[in-house]
Amino acid sequence: MDNVESDEQEAALQFRFMTLEDIPDVMIIEHEAFTLPWTEEAFQNELTHNHFAKYMVMELEGTAIGYAGMWTIMDEAHITNIAVREAYRGRKLGEKLLDELMRTAAYLGMERMTLEVRVSNRIAQSLYQKKGFESAGLRKGYYSDNGEDAMIMWANLPPASRSGEEEGSVTDS
């Protein structure tokens, strides 16, 4: 992809909060991305009953191509999941999605962000390190599909400007 196409793609990207109507598209992404995908019911519960949960969808030309979620508790955000459609991987869209999630967390007053990542997932670890996450230990046997350990990672979030138009690009629609 050349720079012109990349710039056009970036301009066409939109981020918005997830709705119940997004769940069928999110399930496609979920099954492409994870060996232990969440269920539709899990996402319904997150969106309707978990007041700590914040989920967003990344769209390109009106099509959901990625999503991310976090729990915001006190001044900390815990990333629950982040995924991009298989056909759109390798275009730095996961990085853009993570950037938007981090901006949104900072805007909501979060000071730190954490996540767990498979110890074998070097690509994700590299992205998280690039964004300021550092390893803070392991959760032994965290993944139930194969007993793999999870690396715990933390990052400090920069303070967000909460005045005027500095809110980021997430929309409520």
Side-chain angles (χ1 to χ4, degrees):
M1 180 180 301
D2 64 24
N3 286 341
V4 173
E5 287 179 25
S6 180
D7 291 345
E8 289 173 1
Q9 174 183 281
E10 190 168 334
L13 280 180
Q14 295 214 343
F15 299 90
R16 62 175 175 77
F17 287 108
M18 187 186 295
T19 67
L20 291 172
E21 290 75 29
D22 292 313
I23 292 176
D25 290 332
V26 167
M27 292 307 301
I28 293 168
I29 300 165
E30 183 76 2
H31 282 272
E32 285 183 0
F34 299 111
T35 57
L36 288 171
W38 282 19
T39 63
E40 287 186 34
E41 293 78 18
F43 283 105
Q44 289 170 354
N45 285 331
E46 286 291 282
L47 295 176
T48 58
H49 299 303
N50 184 351
H51 64 276
F52 298 111
K54 309 282 187 250
Y55 285 81
M56 64 178 52
V57 171
M58 177 174 60
E59 291 183 330
L60 182 62
E61 298 174 355
T63 300
I65 62 166
Y67 80 94
M70 64 182 162
W71 296 332
T72 55
I73 303 169
M74 303 295 283
D75 62 354
E76 296 177 354
H78 182 114
I79 296 177
T80 56
N81 22 25
I82 183 165
V84 174
R85 288 287 314 252
E86 194 169 4
Y88 293 90
R89 293 183 196 154
R91 301 182 191 182
K92 299 196 181 291
L93 293 171
E95 183 174 347
K96 293 182 187 334
L97 185 53
L98 180 58
D99 286 342
E100 190 67 30
L101 193 66
M102 292 175 79
R103 269 193 298 275
T104 300
Y107 177 74
L108 293 172
M110 303 299 107
E111 296 176 7
R112 293 173 26 103
M113 183 171 260
T114 188
L115 57 86
E116 291 91 9
V117 59
R118 288 180 186 267
V119 294
S120 64
N121 192 343
R122 302 280 186 227
I123 293 171
Q125 290 171 34
S126 177
L127 170 61
Y128 299 139
Q129 288 167 350
K130 179 179 178 182
K131 295 301 174 184
F133 285 83
E134 296 178 356
S135 177
L138 294 177
R139 294 198 197 282
K140 295 285 188 187
Y142 184 78
Y143 293 98
S144 61
D145 62 335
N146 63 0
E148 185 174 359
D149 297 343
M151 179 186 296
I152 305 163
M153 300 184 84
W154 282 91
N156 290 321
L157 296 170
S161 170
R162 294 182 64 98
S163 62
E165 301 300 315
E166 298 288 327
E167 299 178 14
S169 59
V170 174
T171 61
D172 286 321
S173 60

XYZ file of all heavy atoms in Angstrom, residues 25-108:
683
model
N -21.181 -8.362 13.763
C -19.904 -8.046 13.111
C -18.729 -8.322 14.046
O -17.696 -8.832 13.620
C -19.870 -6.578 12.676
C -20.820 -6.289 11.522
O -21.085 -7.213 10.721
O -21.291 -5.146 11.425
N -18.895 -7.976 15.308
C -17.835 -8.207 16.296
C -17.575 -9.706 16.452
O -16.427 -10.128 16.597
C -18.198 -7.542 17.642
C -17.295 -8.016 18.768
C -18.123 -6.028 17.510
N -18.605 -10.517 16.359
C -18.433 -11.969 16.492
C -17.582 -12.529 15.351
O -16.781 -13.448 15.561
C -19.787 -12.684 16.553
C -20.582 -12.402 17.822
S -19.655 -12.699 19.361
C -19.246 -14.415 19.201
N -17.723 -11.978 14.158
C -16.886 -12.411 13.028
C -15.427 -12.110 13.348
O -14.547 -12.964 13.194
C -17.335 -11.729 11.720
C -18.730 -12.234 11.312
C -16.317 -11.969 10.603
C -19.389 -11.435 10.214
N -15.167 -10.889 13.801
C -13.804 -10.485 14.152
C -13.276 -11.356 15.293
O -12.141 -11.842 15.241
C -13.768 -8.993 14.546
C -14.240 -8.122 13.383
C -12.365 -8.586 15.012
C -14.575 -6.685 13.767
N -14.100 -11.574 16.280
C -13.729 -12.364 17.464
C -13.291 -13.776 17.065
O -12.274 -14.282 17.537
C -14.930 -12.401 18.423
C -14.695 -13.118 19.712
C -13.874 -12.346 20.729
O -13.490 -11.188 20.482
O -13.606 -12.924 21.795
N -14.055 -14.399 16.188
C -13.726 -15.767 15.771
C -12.492 -15.821 14.879
O -11.765 -16.816 14.891
C -14.935 -16.424 15.091
C -15.966 -16.897 16.069
N -15.935 -18.136 16.648
C -17.037 -16.256 16.605
C -16.950 -18.264 17.484
N -17.627 -17.129 17.484
N -12.243 -14.772 14.110
C -11.028 -14.731 13.301
C -9.782 -14.527 14.162
O -8.703 -14.990 13.817
C -11.103 -13.584 12.281
C -12.012 -13.846 11.126
C -12.009 -12.712 10.110
O -11.296 -11.703 10.306
O -12.734 -12.837 9.118
N -9.945 -13.827 15.278
C -8.784 -13.372 16.049
C -8.391 -14.284 17.211
O -7.219 -14.321 17.572
C -9.045 -11.965 16.581
N -9.331 -14.991 17.802
C -9.037 -15.668 19.066
C -9.370 -17.154 19.040
O -10.375 -17.560 18.463
C -9.815 -15.004 20.216
C -9.462 -13.556 20.404
C -10.391 -12.563 20.107
C -8.209 -13.168 20.853
C -10.072 -11.221 20.265
C -7.885 -11.828 21.021
C -8.819 -10.854 20.723
N -8.520 -17.936 19.711
C -8.791 -19.374 19.844
C -9.873 -19.627 20.888
O -10.508 -20.674 20.870
C -7.518 -20.141 20.226
O -6.985 -19.605 21.434
C -6.474 -20.065 19.121
N -10.070 -18.684 21.797
C -11.135 -18.759 22.795
C -12.060 -17.555 22.635
O -12.033 -16.627 23.450
C -10.551 -18.750 24.215
C -9.825 -20.001 24.667
C -9.122 -19.753 25.992
C -10.792 -21.161 24.774
N -12.873 -17.522 21.573
C -13.710 -16.334 21.350
C -14.787 -16.173 22.418
O -15.294 -17.152 22.953
C -14.339 -16.602 19.983
C -14.285 -18.080 19.810
C -13.081 -18.554 20.577
N -15.088 -14.923 22.708
C -16.205 -14.620 23.596
C -17.507 -14.976 22.870
O -17.555 -15.047 21.643
C -16.217 -13.143 23.935
C -15.212 -12.729 24.967
C -14.084 -13.398 25.370
C -15.238 -11.512 25.714
N -13.414 -12.668 26.316
C -14.101 -11.510 26.551
C -16.096 -10.429 25.755
C -13.816 -10.462 27.422
C -15.815 -9.381 26.617
C -14.690 -9.412 27.442
N -18.563 -15.138 23.637
C -19.889 -15.438 23.081
C -20.656 -14.136 22.845
O -20.313 -13.085 23.395
C -20.704 -16.318 24.043
O -20.914 -15.571 25.251
C -19.980 -17.631 24.342
N -21.714 -14.237 22.061
C -22.600 -13.082 21.871
C -23.142 -12.613 23.213
O -23.233 -11.412 23.478
C -23.762 -13.453 20.940
C -23.363 -13.606 19.501
C -24.556 -13.824 18.586
O -25.639 -13.254 18.853
O -24.392 -14.546 17.587
N -23.491 -13.579 24.073
C -24.043 -13.236 25.386
C -23.033 -12.455 26.227
O -23.414 -11.537 26.961
C -24.477 -14.503 26.137
C -25.652 -15.231 25.508
C -25.271 -16.069 24.273
O -24.079 -16.376 24.075
O -26.174 -16.397 23.497
N -21.761 -12.809 26.117
C -20.730 -12.088 26.874
C -20.696 -10.618 26.444
O -20.631 -9.722 27.298
C -19.365 -12.739 26.664
N -20.745 -10.366 25.138
C -20.741 -8.980 24.668
C -22.031 -8.260 25.061
O -22.002 -7.087 25.449
C -20.527 -8.920 23.152
C -19.098 -9.145 22.755
C -18.701 -10.354 22.205
C -18.137 -8.152 22.939
C -17.385 -10.566 21.840
C -16.813 -8.365 22.579
C -16.436 -9.581 22.036
N -23.168 -8.956 24.982
C -24.428 -8.342 25.405
C -24.355 -7.933 26.873
O -24.771 -6.824 27.238
C -25.591 -9.308 25.184
C -25.936 -9.505 23.728
C -26.914 -10.646 23.500
O -27.266 -11.390 24.406
N -27.350 -10.793 22.259
N -23.816 -8.817 27.712
C -23.682 -8.499 29.136
C -22.739 -7.324 29.363
O -23.002 -6.462 30.207
C -23.205 -9.716 29.922
C -24.290 -10.746 30.109
O -25.472 -10.416 30.158
N -23.902 -12.002 30.197
N -21.634 -7.293 28.621
C -20.686 -6.185 28.765
C -21.368 -4.852 28.437
O -21.173 -3.860 29.138
C -19.473 -6.380 27.847
C -18.513 -7.446 28.310
C -17.762 -7.052 29.571
O -16.803 -6.265 29.479
O -18.159 -7.521 30.653
N -22.147 -4.839 27.350
C -22.760 -3.592 26.894
C -23.973 -3.178 27.718
O -24.293 -1.987 27.780
C -23.158 -3.709 25.419
C -22.005 -3.867 24.426
C -22.545 -4.069 23.013
C -21.061 -2.680 24.478
N -24.649 -4.123 28.342
C -25.896 -3.782 29.041
C -25.799 -3.815 30.558
O -26.569 -3.135 31.236
C -27.047 -4.709 28.603
O -26.686 -6.066 28.868
C -27.365 -4.528 27.131
N -24.863 -4.597 31.113
C -24.834 -4.759 32.572
C -23.542 -4.314 33.239
O -23.528 -4.113 34.448
C -25.092 -6.223 32.948
C -26.426 -6.732 32.489
N -27.618 -6.148 32.834
C -26.757 -7.767 31.678
C -28.613 -6.792 32.282
N -28.125 -7.787 31.560
N -22.458 -4.201 32.520
C -21.168 -3.859 33.126
C -20.909 -2.365 32.961
O -20.461 -1.919 31.911
C -20.041 -4.676 32.495
C -18.705 -4.429 33.157
O -18.553 -3.535 33.989
N -17.715 -5.219 32.780
N -21.182 -1.590 34.008
C -21.004 -0.142 33.886
C -19.536 0.277 33.854
O -19.226 1.436 33.605
C -21.778 0.606 34.979
C -21.309 0.339 36.363
N -21.726 -0.747 37.095
C -20.450 1.024 37.151
C -21.134 -0.735 38.282
N -20.358 0.329 38.347
N -18.609 -0.652 34.076
C -17.176 -0.367 33.940
C -16.695 -0.556 32.496
O -15.605 -0.122 32.142
C -16.343 -1.301 34.839
C -16.633 -1.147 36.304
C -17.270 -2.165 36.998
C -16.271 0.006 36.985
C -17.527 -2.035 38.360
C -16.525 0.149 38.344
C -17.155 -0.873 39.022
N -17.494 -1.222 31.666
C -17.078 -1.609 30.314
C -17.276 -0.480 29.317
O -18.309 0.189 29.301
C -17.870 -2.833 29.863
N -16.263 -0.299 28.481
C -16.308 0.646 27.363
C -15.759 -0.096 26.146
O -14.629 -0.575 26.159
C -15.424 1.873 27.619
C -15.652 2.562 28.934
C -16.885 3.419 28.918
C -17.013 4.226 30.185
N -18.077 3.813 31.060
N -16.570 -0.201 25.096
C -16.166 -0.904 23.884
C -16.323 0.013 22.696
O -17.272 0.799 22.625
C -17.008 -2.173 23.686
C -16.591 -3.269 24.631
C -17.046 -3.283 25.943
C -15.707 -4.253 24.224
C -16.633 -4.261 26.826
C -15.297 -5.236 25.103
C -15.758 -5.233 26.407
O -15.340 -6.199 27.267
N -15.388 -0.084 21.762
C -15.460 0.726 20.558
C -15.280 -0.138 19.322
O -14.688 -1.211 19.381
C -14.426 1.851 20.583
C -12.994 1.401 20.583
S -11.820 2.782 20.543
C -12.380 3.773 21.888
N -15.795 0.382 18.226
C -15.693 -0.267 16.925
C -14.879 0.645 16.021
O -15.036 1.869 16.054
C -17.103 -0.503 16.328
C -17.025 -0.978 14.889
C -17.878 -1.495 17.180
N -14.013 0.037 15.217
C -13.273 0.760 14.186
C -13.897 0.392 12.845
O -14.000 -0.791 12.512
C -11.791 0.348 14.204
C -10.946 0.992 13.123
S -9.168 0.625 13.263
C -9.142 -1.172 13.128
N -14.342 1.403 12.117
C -14.991 1.190 10.831
C -14.169 1.779 9.700
O -13.525 2.815 9.870
C -16.367 1.874 10.792
C -17.400 1.249 11.676
C -18.752 1.921 11.538
O -18.818 3.124 11.241
O -19.753 1.221 11.732
N -14.227 1.112 8.561
C -13.659 1.621 7.323
C -14.768 1.581 6.292
O -15.321 0.507 6.015
C -12.462 0.771 6.875
C -11.753 1.219 5.609
C -11.156 2.614 5.776
C -10.659 0.219 5.236
N -15.131 2.746 5.794
C -16.219 2.868 4.809
C -17.490 2.185 5.295
O -18.162 1.471 4.550
C -15.766 2.325 3.457
C -14.601 3.096 2.880
C -14.039 2.475 1.616
O -14.480 1.382 1.220
O -13.142 3.104 1.023
N -17.814 2.386 6.571
C -19.050 1.880 7.139
C -19.036 0.421 7.548
O -20.037 -0.103 8.018
N -17.897 -0.271 7.373
C -17.789 -1.676 7.728
C -16.914 -1.827 8.971
O -15.811 -1.275 9.025
C -17.169 -2.486 6.563
O -18.001 -2.353 5.420
C -17.029 -3.956 6.927
N -17.410 -2.582 9.949
C -16.626 -2.837 11.165
C -15.453 -3.740 10.809
O -15.635 -4.850 10.321
C -17.498 -3.500 12.228
N -14.234 -3.226 11.038
C -13.035 -4.010 10.723
C -12.192 -4.276 11.965
O -11.176 -4.968 11.890
C -12.179 -3.332 9.639
C -11.674 -1.966 10.096
C -12.959 -3.240 8.331
C -10.571 -1.400 9.224
N -12.604 -3.746 13.106
C -11.889 -3.990 14.349
C -12.723 -3.515 15.525
O -13.698 -2.780 15.359
N -12.335 -3.958 16.696
C -13.001 -3.496 17.906
C -12.016 -3.630 19.055
O -11.018 -4.350 18.991
C -14.288 -4.284 18.176
C -14.032 -5.611 18.820
C -14.071 -5.756 20.201
C -13.695 -6.711 18.049
C -13.780 -6.971 20.789
C -13.405 -7.923 18.629
C -13.459 -8.048 20.011
O -13.159 -9.249 20.581
N -12.323 -2.908 20.115
C -11.509 -2.981 21.320
C -12.402 -2.701 22.520
O -13.401 -1.992 22.403
C -10.376 -1.966 21.273
N -12.006 -3.275 23.653
C -12.771 -3.050 24.870
C -11.866 -2.875 26.067
O -10.715 -3.326 26.073
N -12.411 -2.190 27.065
C -11.670 -1.997 28.308
C -12.670 -1.837 29.448
O -13.833 -1.496 29.242
C -10.778 -0.764 28.228
C -11.522 0.535 28.065
S -10.387 1.932 27.917
C -11.483 3.165 27.207
N -12.184 -2.116 30.629
C -12.912 -1.814 31.853
C -12.213 -0.634 32.492
O -10.982 -0.615 32.616
C -12.902 -3.002 32.808
C -13.612 -4.208 32.281
C -14.645 -4.253 31.387
C -13.337 -5.573 32.627
N -15.023 -5.548 31.146
C -14.236 -6.387 31.907
C -12.421 -6.178 33.477
C -14.239 -7.768 32.013
C -12.426 -7.558 33.579
C -13.335 -8.338 32.858
N -12.975 0.375 32.886
C -12.417 1.558 33.523
C -12.819 1.537 34.995
O -13.992 1.688 35.320
C -12.920 2.839 32.830
O -14.348 2.839 32.804
C -12.400 2.908 31.396
N -11.825 1.323 35.842
C -12.074 1.196 37.279
C -11.152 2.159 38.018
O -9.925 2.071 37.869
C -11.842 -0.254 37.742
C -12.733 -1.208 36.937
C -12.102 -0.389 39.243
C -12.412 -2.670 37.101
N -11.739 3.067 38.758
C -10.998 4.131 39.448
C -10.197 4.905 38.402
O -10.776 5.512 37.539
C -10.124 3.562 40.565
C -10.884 2.754 41.615
S -12.047 3.722 42.568
C -10.955 4.572 43.684
N -8.859 4.848 38.484
C -8.037 5.579 37.519
C -7.250 4.637 36.618
O -6.276 5.031 36.002
C -7.094 6.550 38.231
C -6.112 5.847 39.162
O -6.219 4.613 39.351
O -5.235 6.543 39.709
N -7.711 3.379 36.516
C -7.027 2.383 35.697
C -7.963 1.792 34.648
O -9.137 1.545 34.920
C -6.478 1.247 36.565
C -5.410 1.710 37.523
C -4.910 0.612 38.440
O -5.463 -0.515 38.427
O -3.959 0.894 39.183
N -7.406 1.569 33.472
C -8.144 0.916 32.386
C -7.515 -0.444 32.139
O -6.292 -0.569 32.063
C -8.082 1.760 31.118
N -8.352 -1.461 32.042
C -7.896 -2.828 31.763
C -8.418 -3.216 30.392
O -9.633 -3.318 30.193
C -8.420 -3.790 32.837
C -7.958 -5.189 32.643
N -7.110 -5.804 33.521
C -8.213 -6.095 31.671
C -6.865 -7.035 33.089
N -7.536 -7.223 31.964
N -7.509 -3.421 29.434
C -7.929 -3.842 28.095
C -8.433 -5.281 28.182
O -7.729 -6.168 28.643
C -6.766 -3.737 27.083
C -6.334 -2.282 26.916
C -7.190 -4.334 25.728
C -5.144 -2.087 25.988
N -9.669 -5.488 27.733
C -10.260 -6.825 27.739
C -9.987 -7.550 26.428
O -9.708 -8.741 26.428
C -11.781 -6.753 27.973
O -12.358 -5.900 26.982
C -12.085 -6.230 29.371
N -10.114 -6.830 25.318
C -9.838 -7.417 24.014
C -9.602 -6.321 22.988
O -10.101 -5.206 23.128
C -10.940 -8.369 23.517
C -12.289 -8.162 24.146
O -12.632 -7.105 24.607
N -13.084 -9.199 24.146
N -8.827 -6.693 21.998
C -8.550 -5.795 20.877
C -8.270 -6.693 19.676
O -7.487 -7.637 19.767
C -7.386 -4.828 21.177
C -7.165 -3.849 20.028
C -6.119 -5.556 21.553
C -6.282 -2.662 20.399
N -8.974 -6.433 18.564
C -8.836 -7.321 17.405
C -9.189 -6.592 16.120
O -10.028 -5.695 16.108
C -9.741 -8.545 17.570
N -8.548 -7.038 15.046
C -8.773 -6.494 13.701
C -9.103 -7.666 12.782
O -8.535 -8.752 12.915
C -7.512 -5.742 13.205
C -7.670 -5.303 11.759
C -7.213 -4.550 14.099
N -10.030 -7.428 11.841
C -10.367 -8.452 10.843
C -9.101 -8.956 10.170
O -8.192 -8.191 9.869
C -11.283 -7.886 9.742
C -12.706 -7.586 10.095
C -13.612 -8.775 10.279
N -13.549 -9.810 9.286
C -14.491 -10.050 8.382
N -15.557 -9.285 8.304
N -14.352 -11.059 7.548
N -9.082 -10.235 9.897
C -7.907 -10.879 9.305
C -7.472 -10.205 8.003
O -6.288 -9.972 7.764
C -8.214 -12.360 9.074
C -7.006 -13.193 8.799
C -7.306 -14.679 8.846
O -8.485 -15.067 9.022
O -6.348 -15.448 8.705
N -8.431 -9.850 7.163
C -8.118 -9.257 5.861
C -7.486 -7.869 5.980
O -6.915 -7.370 5.004
C -9.391 -9.167 5.009
N -7.569 -7.246 7.149
C -7.055 -5.887 7.326
C -5.796 -5.834 8.193
O -5.303 -4.757 8.497
C -8.142 -4.989 7.936
C -9.284 -4.770 6.983
C -10.373 -5.633 6.976
C -9.272 -3.715 6.079
C -11.426 -5.448 6.088
C -10.313 -3.521 5.190
C -11.387 -4.393 5.205
O -12.420 -4.209 4.322
N -5.281 -6.985 8.572
C -4.085 -7.009 9.408
C -2.853 -6.641 8.589
O -2.846 -6.760 7.370
C -3.916 -8.385 10.048
C -5.024 -8.660 11.041
C -4.864 -9.980 11.744
N -6.140 -10.329 12.380
C -6.526 -11.547 12.635
N -5.748 -12.571 12.345
N -7.694 -11.763 13.208
N -1.816 -6.193 9.289
C -0.572 -5.817 8.639
C -0.585 -4.416 8.059
O 0.316 -4.029 7.315
N -1.595 -3.626 8.400
C -1.724 -2.258 7.876
C -1.632 -1.214 8.991
O -2.046 -0.074 8.815
C -3.058 -2.088 7.152
C -3.251 -3.038 5.997
C -4.578 -2.758 5.325
N -4.921 -3.806 4.379
C -6.010 -3.791 3.632
N -6.858 -2.786 3.717
N -6.249 -4.771 2.798
N -1.171 -1.638 10.155
C -1.049 -0.766 11.332
C -2.396 -0.299 11.877
O -2.482 0.687 12.598
C -0.132 0.423 11.058
C 1.284 0.003 10.698
C 2.253 1.138 10.818
C 3.653 0.730 10.448
N 4.291 -0.182 11.363
N -3.466 -1.020 11.539
C -4.786 -0.645 12.031
C -4.965 -1.023 13.503
O -5.662 -0.324 14.243
C -5.876 -1.288 11.167
C -5.921 -0.759 9.732
C -6.863 -1.596 8.883
C -6.316 0.710 9.710
N -4.329 -2.107 13.929
C -4.357 -2.455 15.353
C -3.716 -1.364 16.187
O -4.187 -1.038 17.280
N -2.649 -0.773 15.656
C -1.989 0.332 16.349
C -2.911 1.541 16.441
O -3.014 2.186 17.485
C -0.703 0.700 15.614
C 0.086 1.785 16.285
C 1.436 2.044 15.620
O 1.886 1.230 14.774
O 2.045 3.064 15.971
N -3.622 1.839 15.370
C -4.555 2.968 15.387
C -5.692 2.714 16.375
O -6.124 3.618 17.096
C -5.098 3.228 13.989
C -4.032 3.726 13.028
C -4.597 4.017 11.660
C -3.558 4.359 10.631
N -2.321 4.929 11.066
N -6.161 1.474 16.427
C -7.218 1.111 17.362
C -6.728 1.237 18.807
O -7.420 1.796 19.663
C -7.684 -0.319 17.061
C -8.857 -0.887 17.834
C -10.077 0.019 17.777
C -9.193 -2.275 17.300
N -5.520 0.768 19.077
C -4.946 0.902 20.417
C -4.752 2.369 20.771
O -5.046 2.786 21.901
C -3.626 0.136 20.509
C -2.899 0.195 21.859
C -3.767 -0.324 22.997
C -1.587 -0.584 21.772
N -4.265 3.172 19.827
C -4.107 4.614 20.074
C -5.434 5.233 20.499
O -5.501 6.015 21.447
C -3.601 5.338 18.821
C -2.135 5.092 18.525
O -1.385 4.651 19.418
O -1.730 5.351 17.363
N -6.501 4.893 19.778
C -7.817 5.463 20.074
C -8.317 5.002 21.440
O -8.882 5.787 22.209
C -8.819 5.090 18.978
C -10.122 5.835 19.076
C -10.009 7.331 18.810
O -9.124 7.756 18.038
O -10.814 8.093 19.381
N -8.088 3.735 21.768
C -8.496 3.219 23.073
C -7.740 3.935 24.191
O -8.322 4.314 25.204
C -8.249 1.706 23.128
C -8.884 0.958 24.289
C -10.405 0.977 24.195
C -8.382 -0.478 24.328
N -6.446 4.148 23.991
C -5.637 4.838 24.994
C -6.072 6.298 25.143
O -6.182 6.808 26.262
C -4.150 4.743 24.645
C -3.606 3.320 24.759
S -1.894 3.136 24.215
C -1.040 3.773 25.678
N -6.363 6.973 24.024
C -6.855 8.362 24.081
C -8.177 8.435 24.829
O -8.415 9.327 25.641
C -7.034 8.926 22.669
C -5.835 9.625 22.107
C -6.176 10.425 20.842
N -6.668 9.604 19.750
C -5.897 8.975 18.873
N -4.584 9.049 18.960
N -6.424 8.255 17.905
N -9.063 7.491 24.529
C -10.376 7.472 25.174
C -10.219 7.235 26.674
O -10.865 7.906 27.485
C -11.273 6.397 24.536
O -11.421 6.695 23.140
C -12.643 6.346 25.192
N -9.361 6.296 27.055
C -9.126 6.027 28.477
C -8.597 7.270 29.177
O -9.062 7.626 30.275
C -8.159 4.859 28.642
N -7.637 7.949 28.565
C -7.083 9.167 29.163
C -8.163 10.240 29.281
O -8.278 10.912 30.316
C -5.904 9.665 28.335
N -8.987 10.379 28.252
C -10.072 11.357 28.291
C -11.050 11.065 29.429
O -11.582 11.977 30.066
C -10.809 11.404 26.951
C -11.969 12.359 26.985
C -11.759 13.732 26.969
C -13.265 11.889 27.073
C -12.828 14.609 27.034
C -14.333 12.761 27.133
C -14.115 14.119 27.121
O -15.170 14.985 27.193
N -11.254 9.792 29.705
C -12.161 9.384 30.782
C -11.512 9.503 32.164
O -12.134 9.141 33.162
C -12.641 7.946 30.542
C -13.533 7.750 29.314
C -13.776 6.267 29.060
C -14.848 8.506 29.468
